[in-house]
Amino acid sequence: FNSAYTAACADLGQQNKAKGVVGFISQSRISKEPGLLQLTPGVHITQQGDSKDQRYSSPSEAVLNKGADLIIVGRGVTEAENPTSTAELYREHGWEAYLRRTSKA
């Protein structure tokens, strides 16, 4: 991927907003178009990386620094001892970060 590819994807999504495009899955905000969400994958509360070459961001980093509207969590929940309570913890961390970000506006 390069900046031209990213810009072309953003343009395509923005042009098709009326046809059902609701946002982008990306590590950082690629569109300033109002109403398009950014979903950020690779979020983990306790790890920065793993043996599978995955690099993680904390919920706060994803929301406050990378512009995520929604965080995408995988192994942090699926490999947890108690997935239900762990998912709730991620929700709380993500929501707290979102409130901090939107209170700055």
Side-chain angles (χ1 to χ4, degrees), residues 47-103:
Q47 293 183 0
Q48 293 182 334
D50 65 18
S51 64
K52 298 174 181 157
D53 253 358
Q54 174 70 44
R55 300 289 171 247
Y56 295 114
S57 299
S58 70
S60 292
E61 182 181 356
V63 173
L64 297 173
N65 300 337
K66 296 183 175 188
D69 296 305
L70 298 169
I71 58 174
I72 300 173
V73 181
R75 289 187 283 262
V77 170
T78 62
E79 294 179 355
E81 189 173 312
N82 185 332
T84 302
S85 64
T86 301
E88 177 61 20
L89 186 63
Y90 276 94
R91 187 199 63 77
E92 290 170 3
H93 282 244
W95 182 244
E96 289 168 7
Y98 185 76
L99 290 176
R100 283 196 309 266
R101 186 180 87 199
T102 57
S103 70

